Amino acid sequence: MRDGVSVSGPAIILDPNQPLQTMVGFGAAVTDATAYLVQARMSEAQRQALLRELFGREGEGLGFDFTRVTIGASDFSLSHYSLAETPDPTLSTFSTAPMETYVFPTVRQALAINPDLKVMATPWSAPGWMKTTGSMIQGQLKPEHYSTYADYLMLYIAAAADEGVPTDYISIQNEPDFEPDSYPGMRWGAEGRARFIGRELGPRLEREGLRTKILDWDHNWDQPEQPLGVLNDPMARRYVSGVAWHCYAGDVVAQTQVHDAYPDKDVFFTECSGGAWAADFKDSFVWTMKNLIVGAVQNQARGVLMWNIALDENHGPHAGGCSDCRGVVTIDSRTGAVERNQEYYAFGHASRFVRQGARRVAVTTPSGLDAVGFINPDGSRVVIVLNGTDSEAAFEVGEFGRSSPAILPSNSAATYVWSRPR
């Protein structure tokens, strides 16, 4: 209906009576590279303006509610480092000092702007001396160091908290079925991850009464059998809060496949990067909207993250790994000037309007369009619509009892917001 009048043409209708997952938020990662650029390559005024734009909700702020940090180095670091370089099972030299110069201050500043910001932490590798290669590059965690590595992650959670950085979510390994040859990484099969979560890290978190939630997998859509293997283990399942996914292989429907098998476990989408391989604005914008902003959420995600918030004009700084990745924004390392990229505009369609605690609800969507709908905690309605076709689309948008006409150009998106019906 349109103010009580029946709608006969194409219509996107939100149904408040079909509630689905509750949202944590949208955002991107504060990598070492991002934090370095923000803290060392921008003036104080530039830094504050950018962080307010990314994490604030006033004016044109994106309102990011969710972010991710690396525990130790990733490829987007200034060097390869762990938080315990000395071989010592007592971890007497453990220190978060490498993260205290750039990363922790950036997250604290973001939290000052958005105190509701949720933080996920992920290691790319255990310290090299705990691994089969003796290096942070390639290899596997030695079983005799499982207990020590659980202590390592617990020390990180405590030290980060002391620095004013919470760890709301933790995954035990980034991309555990990949051993990169030029930056930290570590292969870790489902059986080993299940043992570690169920017998080491999970019980420690429980004993300490910590609210940090464990996410398994943190890798691509193409291997749903991996997180299913962990969740099939009763001891691990007790401590796994949800499954995290990346975009680089497979199809987003894998998220629903695993969720259907374990509907009490949360779904998060935690990494995807744009880059020079997807330079065309239209194509990469439409892909991001279809697969991440709409697709990941349609497939149960409570939170959606891009990879680097910011990289420089040379796709860095980085230490190995991706040499042509793109940040949500590009910071000119010489001037501090900011360029907003495709992913910035795609994520803004969600993060500016969907509040933390919003409930996703069902929407009916006509052929040729993609849409996802929400009800915010204040009762306001949000519907995000993508027209990924080469033709203009005309339709109605609303909910039962009232709707309004809309026209969406080809290969574009729009976000529609209205207040709670009286």
Side-chain angles (χ1 to χ4, degrees):
M1 290 187 172
R2 180 178 174 186
D3 295 331
V5 178
S6 295
V7 175
S8 58
I12 296 173
I13 302 299
L14 178 146
D15 186 354
N17 296 317
Q18 293 191 56
L20 299 161
Q21 73 267 29
T22 301
M23 301 303 296
V24 169
F26 299 82
V30 179
T31 59
D32 287 340
T34 290
Y36 167 76
L37 291 169
V38 168
Q39 298 295 329
R41 293 300 183 203
M42 304 186 88
S43 69
E44 175 65 20
Q46 289 173 321
R47 176 165 51 252
Q48 288 301 318
L50 177 60
L51 291 175
R52 284 195 300 269
E53 181 178 345
L54 292 170
F55 295 97
R57 290 205 177 274
E58 299 300 323
E60 297 300 310
L62 287 193
F64 279 175
D65 280 327
F66 189 28
T67 193
R68 183 179 184 221
V69 299
T70 72
I71 302 175
S74 72
D75 46 335
F76 285 95
S77 296
L78 304 183
S79 65
H80 296 163
Y81 68 91
S82 74
L83 305 182
E85 295 288 87
T86 302
D88 175 10
T90 70
L91 299 172
S92 60
T93 63
F94 178 91
S95 173
T96 56
M99 302 180 68
E100 292 169 17
T101 303
Y102 302 126
V103 175
F104 287 164
T106 304
V107 178
R108 284 197 301 268
Q109 289 161 12
L111 282 161
I113 295 165
N114 180 2
D116 296 324
L117 180 70
K118 301 303 181 187
V119 182
M120 175 187 179
T122 304
W124 262 237
S125 173
W129 55 270
M130 297 186 191
K131 297 170 60 183
T132 55
T133 57
S135 168
M136 292 185 70
I137 297 176
Q138 299 186 314
Q140 302 177 43
L141 181 64
K142 293 180 178 179
E144 60 263 35
H145 286 307
Y146 274 28
S147 180
T148 304
Y149 192 48
D151 290 340
Y152 177 90
L153 296 179
M154 292 294 291
L155 284 172
Y156 168 79
I157 293 170
D162 288 344
E163 290 291 323
V165 175
T167 304
D168 299 291
Y169 300 90
I170 190 169
S171 65
I172 63 170
Q173 175 59 41
N174 178 71
E175 299 188 344
D177 197 48
F178 180 46
E179 293 179 74
D181 61 6
S182 62
Y183 65 92
M186 189 168 77
R187 191 176 298 275
W188 206 347
E191 182 179 352
R193 299 199 312 275
R195 172 186 161 189
F196 180 80
I197 292 169
R199 295 159 178 78
E200 301 290 351
L201 185 60
R204 282 167 169 78
L205 290 170
E206 185 175 56
R207 284 196 301 269
E208 295 296 323
L210 298 181
R211 296 183 178 181
T212 299
K213 297 179 179 180
I214 299 173
L215 304 179
D216 182 50
W217 191 219
D218 216 1
H219 205 168
N220 291 330
W221 292 320
D222 62 338
Q223 294 188 69
E225 67 276 7
Q226 282 262 7
L228 286 172
V230 171
L231 292 171
N232 286 340
D233 181 292
M235 292 186 70
R237 185 166 65 246
R238 174 180 175 183
Y239 297 109
V240 173
S241 174
V243 176
W245 299 91
H246 296 182
C247 74
Y248 307 113
D251 190 280
V252 66
V253 297
Q255 297 179 182
T256 293
Q257 178 182 341
V258 174
H259 184 264
D260 284 350
Y262 292 97
D264 61 324
K265 302 305 180 185
D266 289 335
V267 177
F268 284 86
F269 180 85
T270 53
E271 186 185 316
C272 193
S273 183
W277 63 86
D280 181 80
F281 191 104
K282 180 194 73 175
D283 289 348
S284 56
F285 173 84
V286 169
W287 188 95
T288 301
M289 290 296 305
K290 185 176 183 65
N291 288 278
L292 306 188
I293 301 304
V294 175
V297 175
Q298 282 180 334
N299 286 278
Q300 316 304 326
R302 297 187 61 207
V304 182
L305 291 171
M306 287 301 293
W307 186 207
N308 296 275
I309 283 180
L311 293 175
D312 67 17
E313 69 279 8
N314 297 312
H315 308 283
H318 65 94
C322 183
S323 62
D324 57 356
C325 282
R326 179 172 60 229
V328 174
V329 300
T330 299
I331 295 175
D332 190 311
S333 63
R334 300 154 297 189
T335 67
V338 175
E339 178 184 357
R340 294 151 189 85
N341 296 320
Q342 295 93 308
E343 295 76 19
Y344 174 100
Y345 294 101
F347 269 66
H349 275 285
S351 60
R352 285 185 61 192
F353 306 101
V354 180
R355 302 295 190 253
Q356 192 171 97
R359 194 67 178 256
R360 178 191 160 216
V361 297
V363 292
T364 59
T365 309
S367 177
L369 299 175
D370 295 287
V372 65
F374 308 86
I375 298 179
N376 278 320
D378 66 1
S380 61
R381 276 65 166 147
V382 180
V383 174
I384 303 168
V385 183
L386 170 68
N387 175 14
T389 73
D390 292 328
S391 302
E392 180 180 88
F395 53 93
E396 297 273 335
V397 62
E399 60 188 288
F400 298 113
R402 62 175 183 168
S403 65
S404 297
I407 296 177
L408 195 54
S410 65
N411 296 301
S412 68
T415 301
Y416 303 90
V417 181
W418 63 94
S419 61
R420 180 203 305 264
R422 295 180 180 178

